[in-house]
């Protein structure tokens, strides 16, 4: 996962840093989701079909960020701590994505969630940017 992480975030760190808080979270989550999908696809046998039934429809078993996190953990692609951290980040992403109010890293409950996430994962700051 570290190779995928390094490639994805080194290419997109500028993009993330130019975004407002909401955009940064959504872009980072999309990159993480894409990275998990790539790791899973690399681990699995190829699909018989061009459209992968595990990933490529809204009701596919691995269509969601949550499902990809769980499967990556269960296959040993990520450790338990990273899976838990990714789920926390997913919850932050969901808050930003589904809130009609102004969202910011400085406002509760996001500030507490981010502080908690960073305190549990000392390497996370370097991992993201």
């Amino acid at each position: 996962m570290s190779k995928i992480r390094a490639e994805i975030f080194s290419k997109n760190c500028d993009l993330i840093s130019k975004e407002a808080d909401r955009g940064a979270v959504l872009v980072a989550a999309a990159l993480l989701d894409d990275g998990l999908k790539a790791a899973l696809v690399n681990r699995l046998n190829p699909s018989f079909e061009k459209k992968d039934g595990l990933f490529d429809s809204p009701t596919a078993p691995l269509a969601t960020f949550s499902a990809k996190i769980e499967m990556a953990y269960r296959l040993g692609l990520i450790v338990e701590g990273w899976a838990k951290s990714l789920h926390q980040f997913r919850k932050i992403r969901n808050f930003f994505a589904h809130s009609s109010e102004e969202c910011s890293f400085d406002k509760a409950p996001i500030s507490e969630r981010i502080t908690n996430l960073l305190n549990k994962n000392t390497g996370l700051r370097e991992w993201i940017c």
Side-chain angles (χ1 to χ4, degrees), residues 9 67 99 103 114-115:
F9 280 96
S99 177
C103 297
I114 290 175
T115 299

Coordinates of all heavy atoms in Angstrom, one line a residue, residues 9 67 99 103 114-115:
F9 N -0.4 10.2 -3.8 CA -0.4 11.5 -3.2 C 0.7 12.4 -3.7 O 0.5 13.6 -3.7 CB -0.3 11.3 -1.7 CG -1.7 11.1 -1.1 CD1 -2.1 9.8 -0.9 CD2 -2.6 12.1 -0.9 CE1 -3.4 9.5 -0.4 CE2 -3.9 11.8 -0.4 CZ -4.2 10.5 -0.1
A67 N -16.6 -0.8 1.8 CA -16.4 -2.2 1.4 C -14.9 -2.4 0.9 O -14.4 -3.5 1.2 CB -17.4 -2.6 0.2
S99 N -23.3 17.2 4.2 CA -23.7 18.4 5.0 C -24.1 19.6 4.2 O -23.3 19.9 3.3 CB -22.6 18.7 6.0 OG -23.1 19.8 6.8
C103 N -18.7 23.6 6.1 CA -17.8 22.6 6.8 C -16.4 23.2 6.8 O -16.0 23.8 5.8 CB -17.9 21.3 6.0 SG -19.5 20.5 6.0
I114 N -10.5 14.9 13.4 CA -9.2 15.0 12.8 C -8.1 14.9 13.8 O -7.1 14.2 13.6 CB -9.1 16.3 11.9 CG1 -10.0 16.1 10.7 CG2 -7.7 16.5 11.5 CD1 -10.1 17.3 9.8
T115 N -8.3 15.6 14.9 CA -7.3 15.5 16.0 C -7.2 14.1 16.5 O -6.1 13.6 16.7 CB -7.7 16.5 17.2 OG1 -7.8 17.8 16.7 CG2 -6.8 16.4 18.3

